[in-house]
Amino acid sequence: MPENRSTTPLAPQVHTCGDRRRLEFQPGMIQSEMLLSRPDHLLLRYARAMMCFTLFVPRPRHILMVGLGGGSLLKFCHRHLPDTRITVLELRADVIALREQFMLPPDDARLRIIETDAVSYIRQHPGCADVLLLDGYDETGLPPALGSARFYADCLRALLPGGVLVANLFSYDEHYPAMLARLMLTFRGAVCHFDGIAGNNRIIFAARPGQGADGRAVRVVRLVRWRRVCGLAFLNRWLPAWQLWRLRRQSGAGSD
C-alpha cells in the first residue's frame, strides 16, 4: 500500500470469539478471519475464490502477494503448494506484528514477509513472479495507486511469461469500471472473472501470454469466457470448493 494513503491509519483490531479470530481496521469491516482449530482453512469466500489462480498456473514457482491481513492466503499456499516460494508485501508494521496471533509460519527459504511499499517494490522487480495476488485494502478501501494504469503496467512487467494477476475488487466500487478497463487495456483483453463465487467481491484474473502463441493462462481465460457465453456460469458456485479439495489432495494434507 502506498506511503501517503493516510497520515494516521487506524490501528488493526483483533477479536476472538470462541474458535474464530478476525482482523478489523474498522468495527464490523472484517479484513481476515480464521479458525483457531484449523488455522490453514480458508473461511472467507473471496479468499477461496482467489485460490482459483491455480487453474491458470497450477504449479507456481513464486507467488507475490500484496497485502498481508491475517495471512489466510499465505497459510493455505504455504501448506498446500509446498514447492512454491511466497513473498508478501505489507506496508504496515503493526499488521506484520500480528503474525503470531494469526499463526503465520516464520520466514524461511520459502517465505518472506517484507515491510515495504508494494507500488515501489513491484516497479523495481520485473519478471519476478508467476502469480501476483492483489488484496491491498486498508481502513478506507483500496488505495488509488493500487488501481492505477501505471501500477497495472508494472504488474504486467513483474509477471513471468504465462503468469497471472489476481485482483480482489468490489463490484460496487465507483472506480470498478475504470479499473477493469485499465486491466483489459494493459493485458490486451486476456481478463476474466467467475460469476457468483465471491458475493460483492469481484475476483479478476488477468493473464500474461506465455512463450509461444498461447500459454495455459490465456487459454483458461478464453475457456471461462466461453462458459459464460454458453450459459454454464452456474457451475462456478462449486468451483472454489472443488479447487481447494484438489489442492489439499494433491499436497497430501487431507482436510485442512
Side-chain angles (χ1 to χ4, degrees):
M1 291 172 284
E3 300 285 357
N4 60 354
R5 177 60 171 167
S6 174
T7 56
T8 55
L10 297 176
Q13 302 293 317
V14 178
H15 302 281
T16 304
C17 182
D19 192 38
R20 295 193 176 224
R21 178 168 293 166
R22 67 181 184 273
L23 174 67
E24 298 179 354
F25 288 141
Q26 291 192 32
M29 295 183 64
I30 298 175
Q31 297 288 322
S32 186
E33 189 170 17
M34 65 174 280
L35 294 176
L36 296 174
S37 60
R38 301 168 65 196
D40 302 310
H41 180 66
L42 291 177
L43 275 177
L44 300 182
R45 288 178 65 190
Y46 91 87
R48 297 196 296 266
M50 290 186 77
M51 284 303 305
C52 288
F53 74 79
T54 51
L55 292 168
F56 300 79
V57 184
R59 299 176 187 84
R61 292 158 292 179
H62 183 208
I63 298 173
L64 184 62
M65 299 184 181
V66 175
L68 174 62
S72 297
L73 286 168
L74 180 163
K75 288 182 289 187
F76 189 91
C77 290
H78 190 266
R79 181 175 184 187
H80 297 291
L81 296 171
D83 297 323
T84 301
R85 290 188 302 112
I86 303 166
T87 302
V88 184
L89 311 179
E90 173 55 56
L91 179 64
R92 296 181 54 165
D94 55 357
V95 172
I96 297 174
L98 300 174
R99 64 185 300 169
E100 290 188 4
Q101 293 194 54
F102 285 91
M103 303 183 188
L104 272 62
D107 282 14
D108 57 21
R110 291 182 51 223
L111 171 64
R112 286 196 307 157
I113 298 176
I114 305 174
E115 181 185 345
T116 188
D117 173 10
V119 173
S120 297
Y121 183 97
I122 289 175
R123 185 172 301 146
Q124 296 166 11
H125 291 80
C128 69
D130 304 286
V131 175
L132 179 51
L133 302 180
L134 305 182
D135 189 26
Y137 284 84
D138 60 21
E139 67 272 15
T140 60
L142 184 69
L146 295 185
S148 69
R150 181 175 182 181
F151 178 68
Y152 289 148
D154 290 337
C155 288
L156 176 65
R157 286 189 289 271
L159 287 172
L160 291 162
V164 65
L165 174 149
V166 187
N168 174 30
L169 304 176
F170 286 114
S171 59
Y172 54 77
D173 187 332
E174 63 178 333
H175 302 294
Y176 171 75
M179 290 187 288
L180 182 60
R182 290 170 196 144
L183 282 169
M184 290 287 290
L185 181 63
T186 301
F187 286 81
R188 298 184 179 181
V191 177
C192 68
H193 72 275
F194 296 97
D195 289 325
I197 64 174
N200 289 322
N201 295 79
R202 187 62 56 82
I203 310 303
I204 306 298
F205 300 87
R208 176 174 178 176
Q211 303 288 359
D214 290 314
R216 177 190 174 105
V218 173
R219 294 197 303 270
V220 173
V221 168
R222 292 173 181 165
L223 177 61
V224 173
R225 289 179 165 179
W226 176 83
R227 287 179 57 193
R228 190 176 185 186
V229 170
C230 294
L232 298 176
F234 71 92
L235 296 173
N236 294 342
R237 70 186 69 175
W238 295 288
L239 184 61
W242 176 83
Q243 192 66 359
L244 296 187
W245 173 84
R246 189 187 68 82
L247 289 170
R248 290 192 294 266
R249 186 175 181 219
Q250 178 179 286
S251 67
S255 174
D256 63 343

